[in-house]
Amino acid sequence: MSDSEIPHGDGRPVDAYLDLLRIRMETEDYRLLLRMVEPVLQAIEEERLSSLDLALDTGTEDELPQEVRDEAALVIATAVTGRLDNEVIEIDVDDTGPVRIVTDASTASDPDRLAEIADYIRERHRQTEELRGIAEVSGLPTDF
């Protein structure tokens, strides 16, 4: 889907958000953002999102500016939720360090809810490390 193929004007919040980003972002960053989100928006449109794998963290800071990654996450969240009040926040999780997540504004401002999310992330990290250890001992790949 190219920029001209992204539906505009039908009142979808994601279209309004993309229009705002087109005005606000540098042209090259906006084009990079579109290349990232177009497959996801197309999958959402075709209701085949479950078969799509998207990594906003490429592992190297030089490839993709953090702002573009954050905006891509917000575009996708807007497309999925239909809400324009999503925020990217960073939660410091002891075992993994800072983790960036997308959430709604009320959750982002609720310390108790953020603590629950951090606990969930810690538990998932613990489970992943446990599974990685089992896979290593079993001679299976550990890159999950």
Side-chain angles (χ1 to χ4, degrees), residues 6-135:
I6 295 175
H8 294 283
D10 63 0
R12 295 185 322 169
V14 70
D15 298 327
Y17 193 64
L18 284 169
D19 287 341
L20 174 67
L21 290 177
R22 180 182 297 116
I23 294 166
R24 190 174 60 87
M25 292 179 80
E26 295 291 326
T27 302
E28 240 355 91
D29 285 346
Y30 183 74
R31 286 184 182 144
L32 179 59
L33 171 89
L34 284 180
R35 282 195 304 272
M36 290 178 60
V37 300
E38 284 175 345
V40 178
L41 296 179
Q42 187 68 36
I44 292 169
E45 187 78 21
E46 295 171 1
E47 297 181 4
R48 60 176 177 80
L49 190 57
S50 63
S51 65
L52 189 68
D53 185 20
L54 174 71
L56 295 179
D57 183 8
T58 60
T60 60
E61 297 297 320
D62 297 337
E63 288 183 33
L64 197 57
Q66 187 64 53
E67 178 190 6
V68 174
R69 279 188 287 205
D70 288 351
E71 291 299 350
L74 290 170
V75 167
I76 294 165
T78 301
V80 170
T81 66
R83 298 174 61 140
L84 290 168
D85 70 338
N86 298 304
E87 295 180 27
V88 175
I89 61 168
E90 192 169 89
I91 298 177
D92 192 26
V93 180
D94 305 332
D95 301 338
T96 64
V99 175
R100 299 177 78 75
I101 63 167
V102 177
T103 189
D104 62 273
S106 63
T107 300
S109 63
D110 182 348
D112 293 333
R113 184 68 180 117
L114 294 178
E116 288 175 20
I117 294 169
D119 289 343
Y120 175 79
I121 292 169
R122 276 186 209 95
E123 179 60 19
R124 287 292 304 239
H125 178 72
R126 186 197 63 73
Q127 291 173 358
T128 299
E129 291 306 308
E130 186 176 317
L131 289 173
R132 185 170 278 121
I134 293 168

